[in-house]
Amino acid sequence: MEIIKTHSLIKHFGNTTAIDDISIHVNPGEIYGFLGLNGAGKTTLIRVLLGMIKPDQGSVMLFGKQLSPRFKQWNDIGYLVETPYAYPNLSVVENLKVYYNLRQLNDPHVIDDIIEKLKLTNHKDKKAKVLSLGNQQRLGLAKALMHQPKLLILDEPINGLDPEGIVEVRELLKDLATQGSTIFLSSHILGEINKLAHRIGIIHQGKLIKELTTPELNKQLIKKIIVDTPDNKTALHYLTAHQYQAVLNHNHEIEILNDEALAHPENISTLLVEKNCPPKQVYLFTEDLEMYFLRTIRTK
């Protein structure tokens, strides 16, 4: 059973089409990364999934059930959408108690457990309004995770976190997925999506323009060998004479795209040393997710 399934979702705001014929599915235990520029439609889709706004056309299924006013499984869902809202004059503990009661939970230990897991112990008695942006984000995640949801929907979950916090949240989300939780998240920190997601969807101007697994993505990333020598023009001559597809780039370095070169860069070093043109550096360049994303949307 698919945890999330949408069919031909369309949502207009006036003359603007925020989401345009989007059909996606997310499987149990999967981390689905949703990428798009600001204004691409990511948050609109998340709000539709959570029943916060109604689509103009199309349907949403959660846990195999139609999303409608009669949908009853909200306690199986945790979410964080854009700003991590909290009651500003209540402490971290008091905020979590409010959500504990709203969720009608019956294990008081979950509050202390989630405070410890999100590294909020030293801040638990502070009012929400004095928390740093990163700790406000931790509090928002604590509210989303406290009831151990089967489905977690997160919009920019690591916004404001320091590097240590980003790593901690990444590992936490991986652990939740390993335990069977399904996670749908959007983020503008594209490198994090690549480290987390099993599958990635790219949205641009309201349309889902590409959907692929992380292994499929890695196969599509541009890879090349970068070589720099004391005399790159001479080195280029030797390389092309040996059937390497080599060119000088805008930095006057040598770029080589051959599969043979990618598989055995050591052969390049051996050749250039033999030709008395030893390399200063030989390294594998791999296109990052941000470059891939921009290259993808520019072709649309």
Side-chain angles (χ1 to χ4, degrees):
M1 177 188 69
E2 292 156 328
I3 301 300
I4 297 176
K5 184 177 181 179
T6 74
H7 177 68
S8 298
L9 284 178
I10 296 176
K11 179 62 183 177
H12 301 287
F13 293 106
N15 295 324
T16 301
T17 302
I19 49 177
D20 188 359
D21 196 29
I22 290 185
S23 298
I24 61 171
H25 69 278
V26 182
N27 298 312
E30 188 172 48
I31 300 178
Y32 186 100
F34 202 46
L35 298 179
L37 300 174
N38 289 336
K42 303 188 303 297
T43 300
T44 298
L45 178 64
I46 285 176
R47 289 181 178 275
V48 169
L49 293 178
L50 292 170
M52 295 177 175
I53 57 177
K54 187 177 180 180
D56 297 314
Q57 294 181 44
S59 62
V60 177
M61 303 279 287
L62 300 177
F63 306 107
K65 298 176 182 177
Q66 188 82 27
L67 185 59
S68 71
R70 294 186 298 276
F71 184 77
K72 301 295 185 183
Q73 286 189 248
W74 293 117
N75 250 16
D76 290 330
I77 300 173
Y79 62 90
L80 177 62
V81 182
E82 293 187 305
T83 305
Y85 293 106
Y87 294 100
N89 289 313
L90 297 184
S91 69
V92 167
V93 170
E94 290 167 339
N95 266 281
L96 292 176
K97 284 181 178 177
V98 170
Y99 278 81
Y100 176 91
N101 291 324
L102 287 172
R103 292 282 186 184
Q104 298 181 333
L105 303 179
N106 54 18
D107 180 5
H109 294 101
V110 297
I111 294 177
D112 290 332
D113 290 345
I114 200 64
I115 285 175
E116 182 177 354
K117 188 172 287 188
L118 270 299
K119 305 293 180 68
L120 285 167
T121 303
N122 292 335
H123 308 282
K124 66 179 184 178
D125 295 320
K126 293 180 181 178
K127 291 184 177 181
K129 65 182 180 182
V130 303
L131 296 176
S132 67
L133 178 59
N135 284 325
Q136 288 178 20
Q137 196 75 3
R138 290 173 190 266
L139 176 56
L141 284 166
K143 290 185 288 188
L145 294 169
M146 182 169 57
H147 59 295
Q148 299 177 330
K150 297 176 182 176
L151 170 62
L152 195 56
I153 298 178
L154 303 173
D155 192 11
E156 304 287 357
I158 56 177
N159 184 40
L161 295 178
D162 58 22
E164 182 182 9
I166 290 172
V167 172
E168 289 169 356
V169 170
R170 182 200 308 154
E171 295 307 312
L172 175 60
L173 295 180
K174 284 182 178 179
D175 186 50
L176 289 170
T178 300
Q179 295 174 25
S181 294
T182 302
I183 301 169
F184 182 96
L185 78 155
S186 74
S187 176
H188 70 282
I189 303 178
L190 306 181
E192 282 303 307
I193 291 284
N194 198 24
K195 292 172 185 174
L196 271 172
H198 301 118
R199 281 193 305 130
I200 293 170
I202 298 176
I203 184 175
H204 185 55
Q205 296 179 346
K207 288 184 174 291
L208 186 68
I209 60 173
K210 184 163 286 194
E211 195 176 37
L212 67 174
T213 66
T214 302
E216 288 170 342
L217 168 68
N218 289 329
K219 287 180 181 178
Q220 293 186 20
L221 295 176
I222 293 173
K223 298 180 178 68
K224 50 193 172 185
I225 300 295
I226 304 294
V227 180
D228 191 25
T229 74
D231 185 352
N232 283 342
K233 286 187 178 181
T234 301
L236 181 65
H237 168 75
Y238 291 132
L239 290 167
T240 54
H242 283 75
Q243 309 305 311
Y244 284 107
Q245 298 171 13
V247 296
L248 289 178
N249 63 22
H250 64 280
N251 291 323
H252 303 290
E253 299 168 323
I254 301 170
E255 292 185 0
I256 309 174
L257 296 173
N258 303 62
D259 289 340
E260 171 66 20
L262 292 169
H264 299 286
E266 70 277 8
N267 292 344
I268 297 170
S269 298
T270 300
L271 171 64
L272 293 176
V273 169
E274 290 174 351
K275 297 299 183 181
N276 200 29
C277 196
K280 294 189 291 184
Q281 64 175 7
V282 177
Y283 69 93
L284 173 64
F285 168 86
T286 301
E287 180 181 39
D288 64 23
L289 188 54
E290 182 169 3
M291 295 171 68
Y292 173 83
F293 172 73
L294 292 174
R295 177 164 61 86
T296 299
I297 67 172
R298 284 167 183 164
T299 62
K300 300 299 177 180

